[in-house]
Amino acid sequence: MIYDVVIIGAGPAGLSAGLYAARARLSTLIIEKEAAGGQIATTDEVANYPGSIEHATGPSLVARMVEQAEEFGAKRVTDTILSVDFSQDVKVLKGEKQEYQAKTIIIATGAVPKHIGCPGEKELTGRGISYCATCDGAFFEDLEVFVVGGGDSAVEEAMYLTKFARKVTIVHRRDALRAAKSIQEKALKNEKIEYLWDSVITEVKGEGLLESIVVKNVKTNEETEIFADEEDGTFGVFVFVGYDPATKLFEGIINMDGGYIITDDNMKTNIPGVFAAGDNRVKSLRQVVTATADGAIAATQAEKYIEEKF
């Protein structure tokens, strides 16, 4: 079968694109390698999405988006795309499970969390190192937790983690937070949150579980090893230092800037019939609201492209 639209990624951008494409009576397939939702699926509270006044969580908002897209007729499959061929009018995607053909493609692959990049991080991921507070926060009930980063996500997740941890320490390489003032004000009032300024984690250690971290002061170069409380035996490190666009698959095919896909205002890439939407493209604001807008525009432009081309 040749679909009208195949969407790679089922985060807010992909689901929004799926909803708009299916509602336009286009045969629509959404391909996602993991669970739907992307980054928002790991967000505890979505307070700044317009209309979300009943304290929607990331998962609850995603569930509604999935339901909407499927109600209009969008199909979803779980598969990992291994290679793409955009050289012909009908585009071809080769996945682990099968091959897909489409008149138009919408790339909505999003972005993935950056790592600290220090020794021990890979080995202790899931054993004390985490990149998702809502996924793993409950595992650290009454333990100490360190949060790496100083932006909106880091500070918001630090506040969320105070629901579980007895103490949360924000480790930030600067001497002031970068988060929005409103978020900073809340965090500074929270008695459970402490701060390690001008600091970076240079190593994490542990046998099977995280047991200590080495912290370096970037101004003095002094290193300090912080050990887990003897009674606890472990603690948590949650990393929120930004994201990398999930676009490696399209290197050398789609025009990019620093790994982010270049599009025009209509989400068009340099290849006719191929669009991009969401956090994987060059843009000034990466939020759920801009991702859903991108998806809607991409689907509408895909419909116009099909009308003119086929």
Side-chain angles (χ1 to χ4, degrees):
M1 174 179 178
I2 300 175
Y3 288 92
D4 290 322
V5 183
V6 167
I7 299 155
I8 310 172
L15 292 170
S16 174
L19 187 161
Y20 271 77
R23 193 164 183 259
R25 298 291 188 270
L26 301 175
S27 57
T28 304
L29 179 69
I30 303 170
I31 303 171
E32 172 57 60
K33 64 180 179 180
E34 296 166 350
Q39 294 172 44
I40 191 181
T42 64
T43 303
D44 176 51
E45 187 179 346
V46 187
N48 58 355
Y49 189 72
S52 176
I53 54 174
E54 78 290 18
H55 305 295
T57 64
S60 71
L61 193 59
V62 166
R64 291 185 204 172
M65 290 180 179
V66 168
E67 187 179 344
Q68 272 184 304
E70 290 181 342
E71 271 185 12
F72 284 119
K75 294 180 181 176
R76 286 194 306 133
V77 297
T78 302
D79 201 353
T80 299
I81 302 303
L82 303 175
S83 65
V84 300
D85 182 354
F86 296 157
S87 61
Q88 305 298 319
D89 287 345
V90 173
K91 321 299 181 193
V92 179
L93 307 176
K94 289 185 179 176
E96 282 182 356
K97 296 179 181 176
Q98 66 182 84
E99 186 175 285
Y100 309 90
Q101 294 183 314
K103 297 173 185 173
T104 61
I105 301 289
I106 297 174
I107 302 168
T109 46
V112 293
K114 285 183 179 177
H115 292 186
I116 301 170
C118 70
E121 182 177 16
K122 184 178 179 183
E123 293 78 7
L124 291 167
T125 294
R127 299 171 181 273
I129 306 285
S130 175
Y131 307 89
C132 172
T134 35
C135 309
D136 299 329
F139 295 128
F140 297 90
E141 188 83 43
D142 293 325
L143 297 177
E144 290 191 23
V145 160
F146 292 82
V147 170
V148 183
D152 289 0
S153 295
V155 181
E156 284 175 339
E157 301 298 0
M159 287 191 287
Y160 172 73
L161 286 165
T162 61
K163 295 179 181 181
F164 307 100
R166 69 168 181 266
K167 185 173 88 169
V168 176
T169 302
I170 293 177
V171 183
H172 188 38
R173 63 168 55 246
R174 296 180 176 87
D175 58 6
L177 298 172
R178 292 183 294 108
K181 290 286 184 262
S182 59
I183 299 170
Q184 287 191 42
E185 285 168 9
K186 281 186 186 177
L188 292 167
K189 287 177 186 173
N190 194 314
E191 293 179 357
K192 276 192 172 183
I193 300 178
E194 296 183 4
Y195 302 87
L196 267 177
W197 303 114
D198 301 316
S199 298
V200 294
I201 294 176
T202 56
E203 188 175 1
V204 294
K205 302 177 183 179
E207 294 295 327
L209 283 175
L210 179 63
E211 295 168 1
S212 73
I213 59 174
V214 179
V215 178
K216 183 175 88 169
N217 184 294
V218 295
K219 289 184 175 174
T220 64
N221 285 327
E222 183 183 347
E223 288 194 331
T224 307
E225 188 165 3
I226 301 171
F227 293 87
D229 186 283
E230 272 189 38
E231 288 186 16
D232 298 337
T234 188
F235 50 55
V237 171
F238 287 79
V239 183
F240 303 104
V241 290
Y243 294 87
D244 286 319
T247 57
K248 196 167 183 62
L249 182 64
F250 312 103
E251 284 179 0
I253 303 169
I254 302 285
N255 288 348
M256 298 186 198
D257 180 3
Y260 289 94
I261 295 172
I262 298 169
T263 72
D264 64 8
D265 291 344
N266 289 321
M267 308 301 135
K268 294 177 181 178
T269 69
N270 58 300
I271 298 177
V274 178
F275 306 83
D279 286 2
N280 58 5
R281 75 179 195 90
V282 174
K283 58 197 296 189
S284 62
L285 181 66
R286 294 184 174 88
Q287 293 280 294
V288 181
V289 67
T290 61
T292 53
D294 286 0
I297 293 167
T300 305
Q301 291 298 318
E303 180 187 11
K304 287 182 179 178
Y305 174 84
I306 291 168
E307 286 174 359
E308 293 169 4
K309 184 77 179 177
F310 292 93

